[in-house]
Amino acid sequence: MSLINESQVVLDLTGADRHAATRVLAERLVESGRCTDLDAFLADVRTREETMATGLPGGIGIPHARSAAITEPSLVFGRVSDGIDWGAKDGPATLVFLIAAPEAGGDAHMQMLPKLARALMKSEFKAALAGATTEAEVVEIVSAEVALDPAPADDSAATPAPAEPGKAADPAPASAEKKPLSIVAVTSCPTGIAHTYMAAEALERAAKDAGHTIAVETQGSAGSDPLDPELIAAADAVIFAHDLEVKDKGRFAGKPTVDVGVKKGISDAPGLVARAASMADEWAKDPSLAAKTTGPAAASGGLTTKVDSGMSTGVKIRQWLMTGVSYMIPFVAAGGIMIALSFMLAQIAIGEQGAIEIVKYGLGAEGEYDITQSFSVLSLTSWAALLFVIGGASFGFLVPILSAFIAFAIADRPGLVPGLVGGSIAFTMGAGFLGGIATGFLGGFLAKWVSSWKVHKGVRGVMPVVVIPLISTFLTAGLFITLLGRPIVALTEALSDALGSMGGTSAVILGAILGAMMGFDLGGPVNKVAYTFATTGLVAAGAVTDAPELKIMAAVMAAGMVAPLAMALATTLRPRLFSEPERENGKAAWLLGASFISEGAIPFAASDPVRVIASSVVGSSVAGGLAMLFGTTLRAPHGGIWVLPLIGNFLLFLVALAAGVLVTTAIVLALKSRDRKGVHDPLLSETAPAVA
């Protein structure tokens, strides 16, 4: 069955806005039997629109989504005489394609959707659609571009076919003044249905017009065919037009790279090609530019950092630290959860003293406590001991990994060795996460300094494998052992003693402060400071069952769950106080909040920052303070309700969480009720749920 038929063409499309127009188009799919649930499909389209507007330059709208309500890949075309605002900066859309794809895909037809996306970049295709007088004519125009059968070979001169994935497109004749270049590119968008392929088509046309060859790897919904490594090796420049992380980015290391969002690839492809050509020319004149490339893909084999080179020093410091924390967290999660499970099993197997007894087990411990000699498949105690030993081993890497990847974020791959060795020494000396942070920064800056040395070309080859790691590691470890280590150990012990002595009011205040920080910017810098304080504190907790750091982690997680859950509850209780997109976001916020993803409340804070943030700060502070007061503990750095069995005093944890959610909900509803100006447009309320 074809993607489009005459019943799926609306030559006089109208609508109060793009959502109303999309409903008209989607109703045609219901009539043709290709959509089984109109509201479900429209909700999926709306979710896609909220991710990124689907209006494109040139008067085009391409609402699209994958949906379980769609039975087969389909297109619906609408032509608007006066135009409808579809989010494009250059004006309203007059040509609209609704692209509907089944949730499970459908390989044959999904290969045709990219062809439509490419066709929309052709002026002759758009002109033909604008001038069509009948539905049958539109179907013929579209089918000619999106046919399942390949076009005859002799038609290739009339309409240049897009290059096969991973193969270079033929260039137009180059002028005598300009040398033709070889360019490779990658395009991708959040859903990979349209923008991915439209950007590819635009880049191919722009490169051809400029007299260059280009090969584009489309990392879209139809899968991706990786570029030939020989093409990449021979390329003069690289263009990334993407909204998703480029897969296997390290393939393009050492090449001049233009890196932009996918929409830029559609709207300014000639400009991107010109920038790539300019960079290629600049690099050709100065070969040292390739050697100076220090991007994460260039030297680290796919390892990535959270560092933006254009940021201020203060922001970079936070990003360096967050890079280390992000690589440390999987070790925290694996080790912490296994230790928690170990304690649970030990209490079942041994009794109340189980958590105390199980810590005696280890590799090479004396007598029956040597797990390598005494493990029994039928013994619950043995399984508890095994989990404890493995979890403890994972915890042993926390400080070295934190240190290594802080150094990596600063100096790229040369920073790994001094950071890892320095972190290991800091852990051995008992300097904790403060020692890891110190060796990470020290090792990173020293490695970067040594890397900058101007040396004889005969020495350059051994710099990365011998000279840089040798000198930077010696200096990092030596300085920490002889000068920095003891003061940091003393500071770590003082901090541990201070936290251990906290109780009553001081503990509640700390929990409230951390909770307020978690609720302030919902995943932003302040939130991350509180979260980093909690997760790095798990390093100091080790295998201690009631360490204060475990209470801090529980308080931070409870507080971080409050805002999204409160927004979900608020939209359920008083939906008319929220816009339709907010009500849709509220449904998703239930799961996000339950999973400890504070960012689930960001859409609400973005549209109404004062009232939402004020409510979130108060409620999150209540949750954090109560969690500390109740003495709840947690070893896992993430997970929300999914790690509930691992939370010490989990019933009281739920009480603290519920209190914070109710407080935030009550405040935000009270504040919004005072000013009804923020209520959604009545035109959008037709599909709103009824209010009891």
Side-chain angles (χ1 to χ4, degrees), residues 613-652:
I613 292 176
S615 308
S616 172
V617 167
V618 176
S620 299
S621 180
V622 169
L626 288 177
M628 286 290 283
L629 176 65
F630 295 153
T632 59
T633 59
L634 175 64
R635 288 188 174 277
H638 217 289
I641 62 169
W642 312 112
V643 295
L644 200 59
L646 306 180
I647 298 175
N649 298 320
F650 73 88
L651 291 177
L652 291 176

Side-chain angles (χ1 to χ4, degrees), residues 398-469:
L398 300 187
V399 174
I401 290 296
L402 174 67
S403 175
F405 283 96
I406 290 174
F408 164 73
I410 296 170
D412 210 29
R413 190 173 179 178
L416 284 173
V417 176
L420 191 64
V421 174
S424 179
I425 290 173
F427 177 74
T428 303
M429 291 179 65
F433 76 92
L434 292 179
I437 292 173
T439 55
F441 279 96
L442 182 62
F445 285 121
L446 285 172
K448 191 171 185 178
W449 172 59
V450 178
S451 300
S452 68
W453 289 359
K454 304 298 182 183
V455 298
H456 188 273
K457 61 181 180 180
V459 183
R460 290 175 190 168
V462 296
M463 282 290 288
V465 293
V466 178
V467 179
I468 298 174

Side-chain angles (χ1 to χ4, degrees), residues 95-268:
L95 304 178
V96 181
F97 269 101
L98 175 62
I99 307 175
E103 193 170 51
D107 292 343
H109 283 82
M110 286 301 290
Q111 292 293 341
M112 298 302 102
L113 292 177
K115 291 188 177 182
L116 171 69
R118 291 174 180 272
L120 286 169
M121 300 306 298
K122 301 176 181 178
S123 58
E124 60 270 24
F125 177 70
K126 291 185 289 185
L129 290 175
T133 57
T134 66
E135 289 83 356
E137 190 176 352
V138 170
V139 172
E140 183 178 355
I141 293 168
V142 175
S143 298
E145 290 287 345
V146 196
L148 291 172
D149 296 326
D154 57 6
D155 288 343
S156 59
T159 304
E164 296 180 15
K167 305 299 181 184
D170 294 331
S175 65
E177 294 81 9
K178 293 184 178 180
K179 173 190 174 184
L181 301 176
S182 174
I183 302 172
V184 291
V186 176
T187 61
S188 72
C189 71
T191 57
I193 292 180
H195 291 74
T196 300
Y197 304 100
M198 298 177 81
E201 173 69 17
L203 289 171
E204 287 168 358
R205 286 195 158 214
K208 184 177 179 65
D209 292 344
H212 307 307
T213 60
I214 189 170
V216 184
E217 179 179 317
T218 53
Q219 296 181 355
S221 57
S224 61
D225 190 358
L227 290 165
D228 188 328
E230 293 184 1
L231 275 177
I232 298 175
D236 298 296
V238 179
I239 299 174
F240 293 147
H242 64 119
D243 286 336
L244 297 177
E245 184 66 28
V246 174
K247 299 174 183 176
D248 198 8
K249 203 172 184 178
R251 296 173 292 163
F252 306 93
K255 300 286 184 181
T257 302
V258 177
D259 194 333
V260 296
V262 68
K263 277 199 169 183
K264 195 73 172 177
I266 298 171
S267 63
D268 190 25

Side-chain angles (χ1 to χ4, degrees), residues 282-300:
E282 185 180 350
W283 283 46
K285 294 177 180 177
D286 185 0
S288 67
L289 289 173
K292 294 177 181 177
T293 302
T294 57
S300 54

